[in-house]
Amino acid sequence: MTVVNRPHAKTAAKTILICEDDANLRTLVRLALGNGFRFLEAPDAYAALELLRRTQPDLIVLDLMLPGRSGFDLLAEIRGIDGHDETPVVVISAWAHSDTAAVQAGADRFVAKPFDPSELHATVVDLLEGDGAGS
């Protein structure tokens, strides 16, 4: 579990929880999203749940293939937690055929791996601005 602060010069940074088991991909997500955010990182569902007990991220980037418990299992649990049930979730996965299943399970958006950094950034910004949930 890691907390990475990347404060934005003019506004308070939104907090994004990245739940991805590959450290290099967590770094890539941070780089794609840029310096305007504060990041929390979890390598598995258990670490993500621990962070969710202590924090209120503004958005979650969630991989489906996690050690121990799947991203689908974690997503179901997130949607059942008061205070986190409405938190936007972007699922990222190499399972491109899982896009419909991810949205049906409660994800707000799906981005296939390997992802285009600008697509991920635009998706996150759209959801954080509050006009992109469920599209």
Side-chain angles (χ1 to χ4, degrees), residues 2 5 33 35 39 46 51 55 61 68 71 73 75 83-84 90 98 103-106 109 116 123 126:
T2 306
N5 288 311
L33 297 180
N35 292 332
F39 296 100
Y46 304 105
L51 282 169
T55 64
V61 175
D73 292 338
L75 182 55
H84 296 292
V90 177
S98 298
V103 172
Q104 289 174 343
R109 297 284 181 84
D116 175 343
T123 298
D126 190 40

mmCIF file of all heavy atoms in Angstrom, residues 2 5 33 35 39 46 51 55 61 68 71 73 75 83-84 90 98 103-106 109 116 123 126:
data_model
loop_
_atom_site.group_PDB
_atom_site.id
_atom_site.type_symbol
_atom_site.label_atom_id
_atom_site.label_comp_id
_atom_site.label_asym_id
_atom_site.label_seq_id
_atom_site.Cartn_x
_atom_site.Cartn_y
_atom_site.Cartn_z
ATOM 1 N N THR A 2 0.657 2.119 -0.952
ATOM 2 C CA THR A 2 1.498 3.280 -1.095
ATOM 3 C C THR A 2 0.631 4.509 -1.279
ATOM 4 O O THR A 2 -0.399 4.452 -1.935
ATOM 5 C CB THR A 2 2.405 3.138 -2.338
ATOM 6 O OG1 THR A 2 3.111 1.915 -2.243
ATOM 7 C CG2 THR A 2 3.378 4.272 -2.448
ATOM 8 N N ASN A 5 1.801 11.516 -3.262
ATOM 9 C CA ASN A 5 1.220 12.847 -3.377
ATOM 10 C C ASN A 5 1.745 13.538 -4.622
ATOM 11 O O ASN A 5 2.942 13.613 -4.833
ATOM 12 C CB ASN A 5 1.557 13.696 -2.151
ATOM 13 C CG ASN A 5 0.802 13.242 -0.941
ATOM 14 O OD1 ASN A 5 -0.398 13.061 -1.008
ATOM 15 N ND2 ASN A 5 1.495 13.037 0.157
ATOM 16 N N LEU A 33 -2.253 9.872 -15.827
ATOM 17 C CA LEU A 33 -3.191 10.815 -15.217
ATOM 18 C C LEU A 33 -2.542 12.147 -14.887
ATOM 19 O O LEU A 33 -3.222 13.167 -14.831
ATOM 20 C CB LEU A 33 -3.841 10.186 -13.989
ATOM 21 C CG LEU A 33 -4.682 8.947 -14.293
ATOM 22 C CD1 LEU A 33 -5.287 8.390 -13.020
ATOM 23 C CD2 LEU A 33 -5.749 9.245 -15.332
ATOM 24 N N ASN A 35 0.116 15.032 -12.851
ATOM 25 C CA ASN A 35 0.437 15.565 -11.528
ATOM 26 C C ASN A 35 -0.731 16.220 -10.799
ATOM 27 O O ASN A 35 -0.573 16.651 -9.675
ATOM 28 C CB ASN A 35 1.576 16.578 -11.646
ATOM 29 C CG ASN A 35 2.878 15.908 -12.024
ATOM 30 O OD1 ASN A 35 3.097 14.745 -11.711
ATOM 31 N ND2 ASN A 35 3.725 16.647 -12.703
ATOM 32 N N PHE A 39 -2.483 10.105 -5.306
ATOM 33 C CA PHE A 39 -2.691 8.687 -5.592
ATOM 34 C C PHE A 39 -2.519 7.828 -4.356
ATOM 35 O O PHE A 39 -1.623 8.047 -3.558
ATOM 36 C CB PHE A 39 -1.687 8.210 -6.660
ATOM 37 C CG PHE A 39 -1.872 8.882 -7.981
ATOM 38 C CD1 PHE A 39 -1.054 9.924 -8.345
ATOM 39 C CD2 PHE A 39 -2.877 8.485 -8.842
ATOM 40 C CE1 PHE A 39 -1.228 10.573 -9.569
ATOM 41 C CE2 PHE A 39 -3.050 9.110 -10.054
ATOM 42 C CZ PHE A 39 -2.220 10.155 -10.426
ATOM 43 N N TYR A 46 -7.286 -6.905 -0.957
ATOM 44 C CA TYR A 46 -7.223 -6.763 0.504
ATOM 45 C C TYR A 46 -6.632 -5.412 0.898
ATOM 46 O O TYR A 46 -7.141 -4.736 1.787
ATOM 47 C CB TYR A 46 -6.420 -7.920 1.102
ATOM 48 C CG TYR A 46 -6.983 -9.258 0.713
ATOM 49 C CD1 TYR A 46 -6.353 -10.053 -0.238
ATOM 50 C CD2 TYR A 46 -8.186 -9.717 1.259
ATOM 51 C CE1 TYR A 46 -6.889 -11.278 -0.627
ATOM 52 C CE2 TYR A 46 -8.723 -10.930 0.875
ATOM 53 C CZ TYR A 46 -8.074 -11.701 -0.064
ATOM 54 O OH TYR A 46 -8.618 -12.909 -0.462
ATOM 55 N N LEU A 51 -7.415 0.394 2.546
ATOM 56 C CA LEU A 51 -7.380 1.830 2.228
ATOM 57 C C LEU A 51 -8.781 2.431 2.234
ATOM 58 O O LEU A 51 -8.978 3.558 2.698
ATOM 59 C CB LEU A 51 -6.709 2.056 0.872
ATOM 60 C CG LEU A 51 -5.196 1.977 0.852
ATOM 61 C CD1 LEU A 51 -4.674 1.951 -0.575
ATOM 62 C CD2 LEU A 51 -4.592 3.150 1.615
ATOM 63 N N THR A 55 -9.922 5.858 4.014
ATOM 64 C CA THR A 55 -9.903 7.013 3.118
ATOM 65 C C THR A 55 -11.168 7.066 2.281
ATOM 66 O O THR A 55 -11.931 6.104 2.221
ATOM 67 C CB THR A 55 -8.686 6.965 2.164
ATOM 68 O OG1 THR A 55 -8.818 5.828 1.315
ATOM 69 C CG2 THR A 55 -7.376 6.901 2.927
ATOM 70 N N VAL A 61 -9.375 3.280 -9.879
ATOM 71 C CA VAL A 61 -8.952 2.586 -11.092
ATOM 72 C C VAL A 61 -8.667 1.157 -10.658
ATOM 73 O O VAL A 61 -7.825 0.916 -9.791
ATOM 74 C CB VAL A 61 -7.702 3.239 -11.724
ATOM 75 C CG1 VAL A 61 -7.224 2.424 -12.917
ATOM 76 C CG2 VAL A 61 -7.992 4.680 -12.133
ATOM 77 N N GLY A 68 -5.475 -13.360 -5.281
ATOM 78 C CA GLY A 68 -6.334 -13.625 -4.125
ATOM 79 C C GLY A 68 -7.815 -13.464 -4.395
ATOM 80 O O GLY A 68 -8.581 -14.398 -4.212
ATOM 81 N N GLY A 71 -10.975 -8.568 -9.362
ATOM 82 C CA GLY A 71 -11.497 -7.212 -9.385
ATOM 83 C C GLY A 71 -13.019 -7.189 -9.364
ATOM 84 O O GLY A 71 -13.632 -6.283 -8.805
ATOM 85 N N ASP A 73 -14.885 -9.312 -7.676
ATOM 86 C CA ASP A 73 -15.242 -9.490 -6.265
ATOM 87 C C ASP A 73 -15.083 -8.181 -5.502
ATOM 88 O O ASP A 73 -15.942 -7.801 -4.703
ATOM 89 C CB ASP A 73 -14.361 -10.558 -5.612
ATOM 90 C CG ASP A 73 -14.623 -11.953 -6.141
ATOM 91 O OD1 ASP A 73 -15.718 -12.204 -6.694
ATOM 92 O OD2 ASP A 73 -13.715 -12.806 -6.022
ATOM 93 N N LEU A 75 -15.102 -5.125 -6.743
ATOM 94 C CA LEU A 75 -16.098 -4.160 -7.206
ATOM 95 C C LEU A 75 -17.440 -4.387 -6.516
ATOM 96 O O LEU A 75 -18.086 -3.437 -6.073
ATOM 97 C CB LEU A 75 -16.244 -4.256 -8.723
ATOM 98 C CG LEU A 75 -17.216 -3.294 -9.389
ATOM 99 C CD1 LEU A 75 -16.906 -1.845 -9.055
ATOM 100 C CD2 LEU A 75 -17.195 -3.515 -10.897
ATOM 101 N N GLY A 83 -20.815 4.985 1.618
ATOM 102 C CA GLY A 83 -19.801 6.007 1.421
ATOM 103 C C GLY A 83 -18.906 5.736 0.235
ATOM 104 O O GLY A 83 -18.242 6.636 -0.263
ATOM 105 N N HIS A 84 -18.878 4.510 -0.234
ATOM 106 C CA HIS A 84 -18.078 4.164 -1.413
ATOM 107 C C HIS A 84 -18.955 3.627 -2.546
ATOM 108 O O HIS A 84 -18.469 3.398 -3.637
ATOM 109 C CB HIS A 84 -17.009 3.126 -1.074
ATOM 110 C CG HIS A 84 -15.990 3.618 -0.101
ATOM 111 N ND1 HIS A 84 -15.084 4.606 -0.399
ATOM 112 C CD2 HIS A 84 -15.734 3.270 1.180
ATOM 113 C CE1 HIS A 84 -14.309 4.839 0.650
ATOM 114 N NE2 HIS A 84 -14.695 4.045 1.620
ATOM 115 N N VAL A 90 -13.250 3.021 -12.624
ATOM 116 C CA VAL A 90 -12.806 2.726 -13.980
ATOM 117 C C VAL A 90 -12.093 1.391 -13.929
ATOM 118 O O VAL A 90 -11.078 1.258 -13.241
ATOM 119 C CB VAL A 90 -11.841 3.811 -14.514
ATOM 120 C CG1 VAL A 90 -11.327 3.431 -15.905
ATOM 121 C CG2 VAL A 90 -12.507 5.180 -14.529
ATOM 122 N N SER A 98 -14.420 -8.288 -21.406
ATOM 123 C CA SER A 98 -15.084 -8.134 -20.106
ATOM 124 C C SER A 98 -15.723 -6.773 -19.925
ATOM 125 O O SER A 98 -16.227 -6.465 -18.848
ATOM 126 C CB SER A 98 -14.085 -8.363 -18.975
ATOM 127 O OG SER A 98 -13.589 -9.672 -19.027
ATOM 128 N N VAL A 103 -19.181 -3.299 -16.537
ATOM 129 C CA VAL A 103 -20.192 -2.252 -16.356
ATOM 130 C C VAL A 103 -21.427 -2.821 -15.652
ATOM 131 O O VAL A 103 -21.981 -2.193 -14.745
ATOM 132 C CB VAL A 103 -20.544 -1.591 -17.705
ATOM 133 C CG1 VAL A 103 -21.736 -0.650 -17.565
ATOM 134 C CG2 VAL A 103 -19.324 -0.835 -18.249
ATOM 135 N N GLN A 104 -21.829 -4.033 -16.024
ATOM 136 C CA GLN A 104 -22.974 -4.661 -15.357
ATOM 137 C C GLN A 104 -22.677 -4.933 -13.882
ATOM 138 O O GLN A 104 -23.586 -4.921 -13.050
ATOM 139 C CB GLN A 104 -23.371 -5.948 -16.066
ATOM 140 C CG GLN A 104 -24.009 -5.703 -17.405
ATOM 141 C CD GLN A 104 -24.270 -6.979 -18.190
ATOM 142 O OE1 GLN A 104 -23.720 -8.042 -17.919
ATOM 143 N NE2 GLN A 104 -25.125 -6.863 -19.206
ATOM 144 N N ALA A 105 -21.408 -5.157 -13.548
ATOM 145 C CA ALA A 105 -21.018 -5.420 -12.157
ATOM 146 C C ALA A 105 -20.906 -4.142 -11.331
ATOM 147 O O ALA A 105 -20.741 -4.212 -10.119
ATOM 148 C CB ALA A 105 -19.687 -6.172 -12.129
ATOM 149 N N GLY A 106 -20.996 -2.987 -11.985
ATOM 150 C CA GLY A 106 -20.978 -1.738 -11.226
ATOM 151 C C GLY A 106 -19.900 -0.753 -11.616
ATOM 152 O O GLY A 106 -19.817 0.330 -11.033
ATOM 153 N N ARG A 109 -16.908 2.853 -16.030
ATOM 154 C CA ARG A 109 -16.274 2.796 -17.349
ATOM 155 C C ARG A 109 -15.314 1.610 -17.415
ATOM 156 O O ARG A 109 -14.864 1.112 -16.390
ATOM 157 C CB ARG A 109 -15.468 4.058 -17.641
ATOM 158 C CG ARG A 109 -16.264 5.336 -17.709
ATOM 159 C CD ARG A 109 -17.058 5.472 -19.012
ATOM 160 N NE ARG A 109 -17.784 6.707 -19.042
ATOM 161 C CZ ARG A 109 -17.288 7.874 -19.412
ATOM 162 N NH1 ARG A 109 -16.044 7.974 -19.801
ATOM 163 N NH2 ARG A 109 -18.040 8.953 -19.382
ATOM 164 N N ASP A 116 -4.509 3.520 -23.961
ATOM 165 C CA ASP A 116 -3.978 4.776 -24.475
ATOM 166 C C ASP A 116 -3.995 5.748 -23.291
ATOM 167 O O ASP A 116 -5.068 5.996 -22.720
ATOM 168 C CB ASP A 116 -4.871 5.273 -25.611
ATOM 169 C CG ASP A 116 -4.485 6.636 -26.146
ATOM 170 O OD1 ASP A 116 -3.736 7.383 -25.480
ATOM 171 O OD2 ASP A 116 -4.954 6.970 -27.249
ATOM 172 N N THR A 123 -11.094 9.736 -19.605
ATOM 173 C CA THR A 123 -12.146 8.992 -18.898
ATOM 174 C C THR A 123 -12.213 9.410 -17.440
ATOM 175 O O THR A 123 -13.296 9.679 -16.903
ATOM 176 C CB THR A 123 -11.880 7.475 -19.005
ATOM 177 O OG1 THR A 123 -11.918 7.103 -20.386
ATOM 178 C CG2 THR A 123 -12.902 6.669 -18.231
ATOM 179 N N ASP A 126 -13.506 13.012 -17.104
ATOM 180 C CA ASP A 126 -14.936 13.035 -17.383
ATOM 181 C C ASP A 126 -15.747 12.570 -16.176
ATOM 182 O O ASP A 126 -16.725 13.209 -15.780
ATOM 183 C CB ASP A 126 -15.219 12.147 -18.594
ATOM 184 C CG ASP A 126 -16.638 12.279 -19.111
ATOM 185 O OD1 ASP A 126 -17.172 13.401 -19.153
ATOM 186 O OD2 ASP A 126 -17.217 11.235 -19.492
#
